[in-house]
C-alpha cells in the first residue's frame, strides 16, 4: 500500500520517514503507559506531518473514523478514550491500511487479554495498538514473501 508513494521520494527519505513515525509511536506509547493520556502537542503535528509526507489524508480520516466508531460503541466494553481516537488517526496517516488493520485487531485483542488475565482496571491502549501494528506489518511482509 505504501508503494504508491515511494516513487515520489528517494528510498532513504522514505526509510527516514518511517523511522520518524516509529519514534513518534514509541513516544506516544510511553506517554500513554506513564500518564494514561496521549498528548495533543505530539499527535496532532505528527498526524499532519506524516499525512503530508506519505500523502495519506484519506487513510488518516479512515483511521479517525474507525477510532471514533470504537469510541462511540465503547468497543466490547473496553474504555476507548479520545486519545485512542487520535492514535487511530495517526496510525492511519503513517501506516495506512496496516494501521487501520492493526487498530481493529487491537480493539479485538484488548478485551480478550483482559478476560484471560482477569484485569479489571483501565489499561493503556497504545502498547496493544503498537504490538498489533508490528504484527500486521511483519505478517504482511512474510505472507508476501511466501506467496509465489
Amino acid at each position: 500500500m505504501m508503494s504508491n508513494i515511494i516513487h515520489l521520494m528517494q528510498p532513504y527519505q522514505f526509510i527516514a520517514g518511517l523511522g520518524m513515525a516509529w519514534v513518534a509511536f514509541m513516544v506516544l506509547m510511553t506517554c500513554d503507559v506513564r500518564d494514561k493520556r496521549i498528548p495533543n502537542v505530539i499527535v496532532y503535528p505528527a498526524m499532519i506531518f506524516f499525512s503530508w509526507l506519505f500523502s495519506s489524508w484519506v487513510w488518516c480520516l479512515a483511521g479517525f473514523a474507525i477510532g471514533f466508531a470504537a469510541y462511540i460503541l465503547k468497543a466490547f466494553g473496553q474504555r476507548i478514550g479520545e486519545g485512542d481516537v487520535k492514535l487511530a488517526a495517526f496510525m492511519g496517516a503513517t501506516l495506512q491500511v496496516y494501521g487501520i488493520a492493526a487498530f481493529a485487531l487491537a480493539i479485538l485483542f484488548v478485551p480478550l487479554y483482559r478476560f484471560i488475565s482477569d484485569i479489571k482496571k483501565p489499561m493503556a491502549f497504545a502498547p496493544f495498538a503498537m504490538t498489533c501494528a508490528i504484527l500486521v506489518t511483519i505478517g504482511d511482509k512474510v505472507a508476501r514473501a511466501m506467496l509465489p
Side-chain angles (χ1 to χ4, degrees):
M1 292 301 151
M2 289 189 189
S3 62
N4 60 344
I5 61 168
I6 292 178
H7 69 279
L8 299 176
M9 59 179 89
Q10 298 295 326
Y12 66 88
Q13 293 171 322
F14 181 73
I15 299 295
L18 281 180
M20 290 187 307
W22 284 109
V23 168
F25 273 128
M26 297 309 259
V27 169
L28 290 172
M29 185 175 65
T30 303
C31 290
D32 193 21
V33 169
R34 188 183 59 210
D35 303 331
K36 300 285 189 263
R37 57 185 296 271
I38 295 178
N40 293 342
V41 72
I42 296 172
V43 75
Y44 285 137
M47 195 182 325
I48 291 168
F49 174 73
F50 289 112
S51 291
W52 168 78
L53 181 66
F54 295 137
S55 301
S56 57
W57 296 104
V58 173
W59 289 109
C60 182
L61 292 175
F64 176 77
I66 194 171
F68 188 70
Y71 175 71
I72 294 296
L73 299 175
K74 296 297 182 188
F76 302 103
Q78 169 65 20
R79 196 175 128 225
I80 301 287
E82 292 88 1
D84 300 324
V85 175
K86 295 181 289 190
L87 180 67
F90 179 62
M91 289 176 71
T94 55
L95 298 174
Q96 298 177 357
V97 71
Y98 300 121
I100 305 300
F103 192 82
L105 186 64
I107 287 173
L108 298 174
F109 181 69
V110 170
L112 178 66
Y113 178 79
R114 289 177 63 137
F115 176 75
I116 291 172
S117 62
D118 200 31
I119 294 176
K120 302 293 185 216
K121 62 182 181 172
M123 346 176 5
F125 186 76
F128 290 99
M130 275 298 297
T131 302
C132 290
I134 292 169
L135 291 175
V136 166
T137 307
I138 291 173
D140 178 67
K141 300 303 180 205
V142 169
R144 287 177 191 257
M146 292 175 69
L147 292 175

